[in-house]
Amino acid sequence: MKVYDLIIAGAGPAGLTAGIYAARARLDVVLYEKMLPGGQVATTDLVENYPGFPKGISGSELMARMAEQAEKFNLNVESKSVENISRRGNLCLVKTEDGEGHPSKTVIVATGAEPKNLGVPGETEFKGRGISYCATCDGPLYQGKKVAVVGGGDSAVEEALFLTRFAEKVYLIHRRDKLRATQLLQNRTFENKKIEFVWDSVVTEIRGGKSLESAVIKNVKTEQLSELGVDGLFVYIGTVPNSDLFEEDIERDNRGFIITDQDMATSIEGVFAAGDVRSKLLYQIATAVGDGATAAFAAEKFIEEG
Ligand code: NAP
């Protein structure tokens, strides 16, 4: 059976960068991606802080360019989901959705993270009928309507600003009275007349008929419940890592993000992690790209020293 030098799981910025470096270094590499290349960034309207694009660039265009660059170096990208990764003797074994096991000398896990759910009654029922986790995808459906965004981080604030292009009113519901988002984004939000803040509050229930009609909000300081009439509710309360792939224990932090050393090596020999699936200080495209490059180089060294 064919043994790869490197298998990469995930085609977001970390995986594609690792792929570009590995293919350019002429490793025998394959990248498995369960959906289309691009990862979470592809659903971002405007990326303003990735160096090299002074006017900003749309997330989907940036990712299309990364994929094109990987293709130029003949990176082999296959549309398959990775289901399981394990260590077998001195090799890693990567099982894909078709049940096949693919042996490889090294693996880079770049499977990213996905949006956290609110976990309240009505959320599942109204998914796609008012509840959304992607303003770029669904925002235009709310032209002239009222929407709410839940969360206080960069994602919530950025997407609330984006939604003001369509909605007549955007409520930002946050569980504290201070935002977590960076100051620049906070200032823009405070200046936007369409955004109204609902501080110290959490959503406890989603209600509606055929589609979403309101959210029940609890003020966490007064315990008072109220009903907020909205047509759509966008959830941006952080992410959970796609890190449940391993047969043996892999070291993870208390939120499930994979712990690596500075060279992206995990606690399993030959397995590296890069991007949003990794436990780190800053979750950005720029840091994902750096992780991907380091992981590919470290994998190459690991093979050489093998
Ligand atoms: P985040 O920074 O973890 O923020 C999550 C927000 O949701 C926090 O305000 C948190 O409240 C709130 N929250 C968490 N659980 C909640 C719950 N169960 N109910 C209600 N509220 C809840 O997540 P993020 O905004 O998705 O960002 C993830 C990472 O990507 C961050 O490192 C961020 O800087 C980065 N990012 C950067 C950009 C950019 O640079 N333009 C854009 C998007 C994301 P508390 O504040 O009270 O904890």
Side-chain angles (χ1 to χ4, degrees):
M1 192 177 226
K2 178 185 172 69
V3 175
Y4 287 103
D5 286 329
L6 170 64
I7 293 178
I8 301 167
L16 283 174
T17 304
I20 290 168
Y21 274 70
R24 195 163 172 266
R26 302 200 182 279
L27 295 188
D28 190 355
V29 52
V30 62
L31 185 155
Y32 295 126
E33 165 58 49
K34 68 175 173 182
M35 294 194 284
L36 292 171
Q40 286 209 107
V41 184
T43 62
T44 303
D45 176 50
L46 183 70
V47 176
E48 280 190 317
N49 53 3
Y50 188 69
F53 299 93
K55 293 186 181 137
I57 182 168
S58 84
S60 57
E61 192 185 342
L62 179 62
M63 294 321 296
R65 288 189 190 199
M66 286 191 197
E68 190 186 329
Q69 199 168 349
E71 205 181 315
K72 190 191 138 200
F73 291 113
N74 297 317
L75 176 68
N76 178 16
V77 178
E78 289 186 26
S79 188
K80 278 181 190 174
S81 128
V82 168
E83 301 291 314
N84 184 273
I85 300 169
S86 60
R87 189 84 193 154
R88 293 277 192 278
N90 59 354
L91 291 177
C92 304
L93 189 71
V94 175
K95 275 202 190 132
T96 44
E97 63 191 21
D98 44 21
E100 275 183 53
H102 309 273
S104 180
K105 293 174 190 162
T106 58
V107 174
I108 295 176
V109 184
T111 42
E114 23 186 276
K116 215 157 87 177
N117 289 339
L118 284 171
V120 299
E123 183 177 24
T124 314
E125 195 185 332
F126 291 105
K127 249 179 210 172
R129 295 191 293 134
I131 292 273
S132 171
Y133 305 84
C134 178
T136 317
C137 322
D138 302 327
L141 301 172
Y142 295 91
Q143 192 76 45
K145 303 209 163 153
K146 285 189 183 144
V147 298
V149 173
V150 189
D154 284 333
S155 301
V157 165
E158 221 167 44
E159 303 308 325
L161 283 163
F162 174 71
L163 285 165
T164 59
R165 291 193 209 172
F166 314 100
E168 64 159 45
K169 180 102 192 161
V170 178
Y171 296 99
L172 191 67
I173 305 167
H174 184 38
R175 64 182 177 184
R176 292 188 289 140
D177 61 0
K178 274 197 185 69
L179 295 173
R180 178 180 290 278
T182 45
Q183 199 58 48
L184 175 80
L185 288 172
Q186 290 198 27
N187 294 347
R188 285 190 196 161
T189 320
F190 294 138
E191 282 159 17
N192 195 307
K193 300 272 179 292
K194 279 191 177 179
I195 298 179
E196 184 177 327
F197 292 88
V198 184
W199 298 114
D200 298 314
S201 298
V202 292
V203 174
T204 57
E205 191 186 337
I206 312 292
R207 292 181 182 163
K210 265 191 173 170
S211 56
L212 189 151
E213 287 166 10
S214 67
V216 179
I217 315 278
K218 183 171 97 177
N219 182 304
V220 291
K221 285 194 171 148
T222 62
E223 300 271 308
Q224 203 168 351
L225 292 175
S226 58
E227 200 167 347
L228 184 70
V230 283
D231 306 289
L233 189 117
F234 292 80
V235 183
Y236 284 103
I237 58 167
T239 54
V240 279
N242 293 314
S243 61
D244 283 333
L245 292 165
F246 302 92
E247 224 159 77
E248 45 274 271
D249 280 343
I250 190 163
E251 215 185 327
R252 294 190 284 180
D253 67 15
N254 57 5
R255 299 174 308 148
F257 291 83
I258 298 172
I259 294 173
T260 68
D261 67 9
Q262 62 173 4
D263 298 334
M264 308 301 136
T266 71
S267 59
I268 302 179
E269 220 191 351
V271 177
F272 301 82
D276 280 7
V277 73
R278 189 168 89 80
S279 179
K280 58 180 179 175
L281 177 67
L282 184 62
Y283 292 84
Q284 295 276 299
I285 306 168
T287 60
V289 162
D291 286 1
T294 303
F297 188 72
E300 194 184 342
K301 280 244 173 262
F302 180 90
I303 296 165
E304 273 170 21
E305 288 161 10

